[in-house]
Amino acid sequence: MKQRVFSGARPTGRQHIGNYIGAIENYVKLQEKFDCIYCIVDIHALTTIESTSELQQNIFEMTLDWLAAGIDPKKSIVFVQSHVPEVTELFTYLGMVTPLGWLLRVPTFKEKARMQPENINYGLVGYPVLMAADIVLYKSNVVPVGEDQLPHLEMTREIVRRFNFLFGDTFPEPQAKLTNYPLVLGLDGAQKMGKSYGNHIELAATPEETLAGVKTAVTDPARQRRYDKGHPEICNVFSLHKFFNIDRTQEIEVQCRSAEIGCVDCKKLLADGINHALKDFRARRSALAKDPDHIYDVLADGAQRAQKIASETLHEVKTKMGLVRNA
Ligand code: TRP
């Protein structure tokens, strides 16, 4: 039997190249060897967002990007977290075996509490427990995540160990699987690429928008004039060449170091590389966007398949916890 992969991502709408390099590309590859479940975690999103007016649109756009990128609903289960409400029931049960002290020490909790001091809600504290529920509801073995999620995964493993100890062997201890590019910097070269920082390029951008975005990228600060020699090892544009211009990376490195090309030329090459790499993706995305019903069908089918597994696990959990008569 194939091992099960589970990963979740918040519904952030149109995905950017950082999402692609850091997560989506990996999701696509894992489909070959694993039984994969990919979930859009709308309930988790409620812990931090102020307005839910764009939530449905964001779920739709994100699903489009996933499918256009090659996540194949025939191979994998793709669904929206709240469509399988069993997860919230399991979340409640796991909450009973999770010491509060663990949760208050999680670094992401502390950071979010600092960022939204006026909204430190109960759900925010329980965030890692809900994530554990996502993972174990499907008895998942492998969880592809970015570096920032490792503490959450460690918490899932502790919850699993505790549950198994108290109620008997039930869940496998899931392993984290980091991508090859766990951290993709934004165009500012300063922080992680992210929508909220406005330092990103959308996968669905037009070639013109892509070039305009790349032009704003921060390069080697020591290169002020066209004839200054470059230092690719500290240039974020160069690090993106490694992904989008794999065949030409060495050549570009040499040309940058010798000032044979300037930053403007280099950015043009990067935009060309991105546009070339995403050409097929963009064509598939526009085609998929013409048939929204298909997208909703995929999500409905995914929820149905996920729910089947979820209800079995939940029954087992309730039985083990003594909630079922005549078990
Ligand atoms: N916490 C993850 C993030 O913010 C999203 C997530 C929710 C997740 N549930 C998950 C990731 C289960 C992996 C497995 O990116």
Side-chain angles (χ1 to χ4, degrees), residues 6-10 27 39-41 44 81 108 112 127-128 130-135 142-146 148-149 152-153 156 192:
F6 184 99
S7 195
R10 291 151 168 263
Y27 288 180
C39 179
I40 297 176
V41 294
H44 276 108
Q81 187 181 34
T108 44
K112 283 175 186 159
Y127 187 109
L130 181 57
M131 179 161 159
D134 280 330
I135 295 168
V142 178
V143 183
V145 282
D148 58 323
Q149 295 297 313
H152 287 160
L153 210 74
T156 300
K192 182 173 167 170

Side-chain angles (χ1 to χ4, degrees), residues 66-128:
W66 278 10
L67 300 187
I71 294 180
D72 179 353
K74 291 198 191 74
K75 292 183 191 151
S76 305
I77 295 179
V78 180
F79 79 108
V80 178
Q81 187 181 34
S82 68
H83 296 180
V84 183
E86 278 80 354
V87 75
T88 60
E89 191 175 342
L90 183 58
F91 168 55
T92 301
Y93 301 143
L94 295 183
M96 309 306 169
V97 303
T98 311
L100 184 58
W102 289 2
L103 296 172
L104 297 176
R105 278 196 295 274
V106 173
T108 44
F109 169 69
K110 291 198 220 162
E111 191 195 321
K112 283 175 186 159
R114 209 173 338 105
M115 280 168 69
Q116 51 182 60
E118 71 305 326
N119 184 18
I120 306 179
N121 58 75
Y122 175 57
L124 201 57
V125 187
Y127 187 109

Side-chain angles (χ1 to χ4, degrees), residues 139-245:
K139 299 198 175 183
S140 314
N141 310 98
V142 178
V143 183
V145 282
E147 233 155 39
D148 58 323
Q149 295 297 313
L150 290 178
H152 287 160
L153 210 74
E154 207 37 60
M155 174 91 16
T156 300
R157 291 161 59 85
E158 294 198 41
I159 293 171
V160 162
R161 287 196 281 270
R162 197 165 162 115
F163 187 98
N164 288 348
F165 172 75
L166 292 170
F167 301 110
D169 219 3
T170 310
F171 304 117
E173 258 183 59
Q175 307 287 328
K177 190 172 171 57
L178 285 178
T179 44
N180 299 333
Y181 296 82
L183 179 68
V184 180
L185 289 182
L187 298 173
D188 54 4
Q191 40 201 346
K192 182 173 167 170
M193 188 177 286
K195 234 183 175 165
S196 49
Y197 307 121
N199 61 2
H200 64 295
I201 294 178
E202 286 178 356
L203 294 171
T206 62
E208 296 72 30
E209 289 164 346
T210 303
L211 179 60
V214 173
K215 278 188 180 162
T216 70
V218 172
T219 54
D220 172 5
R223 266 198 111 174
Q224 299 289 343
R225 289 150 304 194
R226 168 67 186 79
Y227 49 82
D228 288 336
K229 294 193 160 116
H231 307 86
E233 67 282 359
I234 57 160
C235 179
N236 188 41
V237 169
F238 183 72
S239 68
L240 290 168
H241 279 302
K242 284 189 217 158
F243 197 83
F244 290 104
N245 276 323

